[in-house]
Amino acid sequence: AASGTNAYRFPLVAKTTGETKVKFVTQMNGQQDAFEVPLEVKPLKITEQVVETGTTKNRVSIPLNVAKNVLPDLGGLEVALASTLIPEITAPAKQLQNEEELELLEPLSSRLAIASSLQRLGKQFKQDFDRFNPTQIASDAIDKLRQLQQADGGFASFPKDKQSDPFITPYAAQSLAQAQVAFQNVGTLSDRNVGTFHGTSLQGMSETIARLKTYLKKLLANPGQYDYCKSIECKNRIRLETSIALADLGEQSNDFLASIYENRNSLDRVGQIKLARHLFSFPEWQQEAKTLF
């Protein structure tokens, strides 16, 4: 036979997503050869979503326009019906799970916060998210967050960074606090709850939180320890976020509230809203909270 390389296409049908293997075996004249390669079947990314809400006593008609250039043998249409707005966030939730996870502090903290919120919504409305697992998303995020924790208890912005990030660490702490509330298996993340949380060992989580609190308390007392945070605006911003994070973790303190409130005009509009909301949790700050609100 003439030498050379030929390509052949074999149709494959996958009934579900996940890891599998493809194996080819060839035999001829008593000789044989074979190779086997892994194959990951991934779900198709959501390209378009439409949400219709309202009430009807009999029926409703929603037009669907499929472009002529759409391939008829790829993709598909999924319809979700519910008595709540849960379907409205199901599609972007799936996209969150399918996206490649960046092992950076802010995206990890956001994924944990989103997963915790969806877990609470699912429990409140007694509905599951189709093919979206908030617990697994949270578990993976917690694992990677712990890998970013530094010796001082704070979190680095990215792997191999050796300095804690004073701006995003409080946000990560707030996300961890949300996870404590949302996932019963996590509980208070104390040693008495040692077990497994969908692959995440809770062994040592109490130490992680304790070290984080130590860092936050030092950060609250002295945000100017960082050379790039000497202005009152920077100190005010960090102290507000840190105070909120400590409160979320059960360490509420009115330290530096007077200074933060006195310099409230240095905060942006979102910062002032956060401050007003935070002040409402202190009985002695009700008047200032109402004024700022």
Side-chain angles (χ1 to χ4, degrees):
S3 62
T5 301
N6 292 315
Y8 297 92
R9 186 183 300 272
F10 298 91
L12 299 174
V13 177
K15 294 183 178 180
T16 183
T17 59
E19 295 282 349
T20 186
K21 294 181 179 180
V22 176
K23 182 178 181 179
F24 282 90
V25 179
T26 58
Q27 295 177 333
M28 187 175 67
N29 297 333
Q31 302 296 320
Q32 66 177 12
D33 195 6
F35 69 89
E36 185 178 76
V37 293
L39 175 64
E40 181 182 3
V41 181
K42 299 180 179 180
L44 292 174
K45 287 191 174 182
I46 299 166
T47 56
E48 185 175 355
Q49 56 176 303
V50 177
V51 178
E52 294 281 351
T53 59
T55 60
T56 180
K57 294 182 178 179
N58 41 49
R59 59 184 298 174
V60 63
S61 176
I62 301 175
L64 179 65
N65 180 25
V66 181
K68 294 182 179 180
N69 61 346
V70 173
L71 297 178
D73 55 348
L74 293 177
L77 172 67
E78 293 185 13
V79 179
L81 300 177
S83 58
T84 70
L85 293 180
I86 291 293
E88 188 170 358
I89 56 179
T90 298
K94 291 180 185 177
Q95 197 163 1
L96 171 71
Q97 181 162 296
N98 296 337
E99 287 178 350
E100 183 177 352
E101 184 173 330
L102 296 176
E103 296 184 9
L104 306 177
L105 182 58
E106 193 281 331
L108 287 172
S109 302
S110 294
R111 290 174 69 90
L112 180 58
I114 292 170
S116 300
S117 297
L118 292 177
Q119 176 75 0
R120 296 181 67 181
L121 284 172
K123 287 183 178 180
Q124 180 177 348
F125 294 106
K126 297 181 175 59
Q127 292 190 9
D128 295 327
F129 294 93
D130 183 34
R131 293 198 299 274
F132 176 76
N133 191 336
T135 308
Q136 185 62 55
I137 293 290
S139 174
D140 293 341
I142 291 174
D143 273 341
K144 291 180 172 61
L145 280 175
R146 293 174 66 181
Q147 296 173 19
L148 293 176
Q149 190 167 37
Q150 302 299 296
D152 60 5
F155 295 106
S157 297
F158 52 88
K160 296 185 179 181
D161 188 14
K162 301 302 181 182
Q163 188 179 52
S164 296
D165 189 318
F167 295 102
I168 309 180
T169 292
Y171 176 52
Q174 294 171 40
S175 297
L176 284 168
Q178 289 185 53
Q180 286 181 309
V181 175
F183 299 97
Q184 294 180 355
N185 288 347
V186 177
T188 58
L189 300 182
S190 63
D191 288 332
R192 68 174 182 273
N193 294 314
V194 170
T196 57
F197 172 48
H198 279 251
T200 301
S201 171
L202 297 186
Q203 186 74 271
M205 277 304 296
S206 61
E207 179 184 354
T208 299
I209 297 296
R211 291 168 54 202
L212 176 58
K213 289 180 180 179
T214 299
Y215 170 81
L216 292 174
K217 290 176 182 178
K218 292 181 179 179
L219 183 62
L220 179 64
N222 183 25
Q225 62 185 281
Y226 294 91
D227 294 336
Y228 48 79
C229 191
K230 299 299 183 182
S231 66
I232 187 63
E233 290 82 3
C234 180
K235 293 178 180 179
N236 220 22
R237 174 187 168 189
I238 288 181
R239 276 181 168 150
L240 173 60
E241 296 293 343
T242 303
S243 182
I244 294 173
L246 284 168
D248 289 348
L249 290 172
E251 294 280 347
Q252 190 179 63
S253 171
N254 59 7
D255 293 347
F256 300 101
L257 275 186
S259 175
I260 297 174
Y261 183 77
E262 181 181 355
N263 296 282
R264 60 191 177 277
N265 290 331
S266 67
L267 298 170
D268 59 20
R269 187 68 68 191
V270 174
Q272 292 181 17
I273 294 173
K274 288 183 177 181
L275 176 58
R277 183 179 180 183
H278 188 47
L279 291 176
F280 273 117
S281 62
F282 296 88
E284 67 274 22
W285 283 92
Q286 293 302 299
Q287 185 57 51
E288 292 82 356
K290 292 176 182 177
T291 300
L292 185 57
F293 175 77

